[in-house]
Amino acid sequence: MTKYTRTELLTVSASRLLEDGKIVFAGVGIPLLASILAQKIHAPSLTIVVEGGAIAPEVAPRWVPLSTNEMRVARRALMLPSITDLFLYAQRGFFDYGFLGAAQIDPYGNINTTVIGSLERPRVRLPGSGGANDIASHCREVIVVLPHEPRRFVKRVDFITSPGYLSGGDSRRRAGLLFGGVRWVLTDLALFRADPETGKLRLKALQAGVRLEDVEGCTGFPVEVDLPLEEILPPTEEELRVLRELDWNRIFIGEAS
């Protein structure tokens, strides 16, 4: 079997969560790359939207952008509205998926990309929200992808940049967010799904070769499990081939699995 990196594993696994005929509001990095891969493999009618204002661009192989404001992310786009108009479409519920990364995430799917530590005396300053808060607040389903590490999966995020289910239950709705919410959280170890009643993340599936103890040891809060646990199939030769043709330079990061 062909070896693959953690980045490739995350990208391929994430791409499989996107259905054909849907609209995805994709953040930069793995979310955008996974969305393009899904188009190439199984979802040719998936529409990609990016924060810079491009709707349905055709990103050229080897030219996956580092920012949603690059002109190459607008290549052959159907529309180039303003950022304001784009987020108005989100508020009206036009986007099926919001696709984000995270520095920290808690049991209710709240995301931190602002600061590690307190605002007054931060240990690390992160990029902040950009459009992530709007994406998490208004898209009908939110997918979060990130490496699985104890420092990332925490009992309480240091700052809520983008809301998941806040404190659980109906707290999201009481905060005025009347639809949407985190559905999937994907890592290099596992796949979680948010319980629609409690808002808590529940372990749904394991990456190939991963044990439940591996996930529990890398999660800073008790792991709730949906039994029987499913297994996520590893990347296929075809998925890896297409992915590497898309973005050769940035895929091969870290050690191969």
Side-chain angles (χ1 to χ4, degrees):
M1 183 188 351
T2 302
K3 292 184 177 181
Y4 48 85
T5 67
R6 179 166 71 174
T7 302
E8 289 177 320
L9 175 64
L10 285 169
T11 304
V12 170
S13 299
S15 73
R16 296 170 179 170
L17 298 175
L18 301 172
E19 299 177 14
D20 198 20
K22 302 285 189 176
I23 302 174
V24 56
F25 197 150
V28 293
I30 289 175
L32 179 56
L33 191 56
S35 299
I36 300 168
L37 179 63
Q39 277 187 332
K40 301 292 185 183
I41 296 291
H42 67 272
S45 297
L46 178 71
T47 299
I48 298 172
V49 175
V50 295
E51 183 182 339
I55 296 178
E58 295 180 16
V59 179
R62 308 291 178 92
W63 288 94
V64 176
L66 295 172
S67 164
T68 59
N69 291 312
E70 290 184 40
M71 282 309 298
R72 59 184 169 180
V73 81
R75 176 178 180 266
R76 296 180 180 174
L78 290 181
M79 293 177 63
L80 293 172
S82 68
I83 293 177
T84 301
D85 285 341
L86 199 72
F87 283 115
L88 284 174
Y89 298 150
Q91 290 175 16
R92 292 171 183 170
F94 290 158
F95 300 148
D96 299 297
Y97 304 117
F99 204 166
L100 299 170
Q104 284 184 330
I105 193 165
D106 69 14
Y108 296 104
N110 299 306
I111 295 171
N112 175 23
T113 55
T114 299
V115 63
I116 302 298
S118 68
L119 283 175
E120 295 75 21
R121 298 180 65 85
R123 299 197 305 276
V124 180
R125 288 192 181 275
L126 301 168
S129 171
N133 181 288
D134 298 80
I135 293 172
S137 296
H138 300 300
C139 292
R140 293 191 173 276
E141 295 181 7
V142 176
I143 301 169
V144 184
V145 59
L146 72 164
H148 206 133
E149 303 168 349
R151 64 176 180 166
R152 295 178 181 270
F153 279 75
V154 295
K155 290 182 180 179
R156 183 183 178 88
V157 292
D158 293 337
F159 187 92
I160 297 180
T161 309
S162 306
Y165 287 97
L166 298 175
S167 58
D170 67 344
S171 59
R172 181 180 172 94
R173 178 173 289 274
R174 285 189 282 107
L177 302 175
L178 303 184
F179 61 88
V182 172
R183 183 178 185 188
W184 300 110
V185 174
L186 174 75
T187 78
D188 52 320
L189 298 182
L191 177 66
F192 294 82
R193 183 168 182 171
D195 186 296
E197 297 297 324
T198 67
K200 277 192 172 184
L201 300 181
R202 296 183 62 85
L203 183 61
K204 180 73 173 176
L206 299 172
Q207 295 282 9
V210 174
R211 301 169 302 169
L212 175 58
E213 308 91 88
D214 300 326
V215 175
E216 291 173 330
C218 290
T219 306
F221 50 84
V223 177
E224 298 189 5
V225 181
D226 279 340
L227 295 174
L229 280 174
E230 301 173 10
E231 181 178 82
I232 303 170
L233 295 176
T236 66
E237 299 282 348
E238 177 67 6
E239 287 170 322
L240 291 172
R241 181 189 66 78
V242 174
L243 178 57
R244 290 168 181 175
E245 287 178 354
L246 285 173
D247 201 20
W248 184 276
N249 292 325
R250 286 193 291 138
I251 292 299
F252 298 96
I253 301 171
E255 297 181 359
S257 306

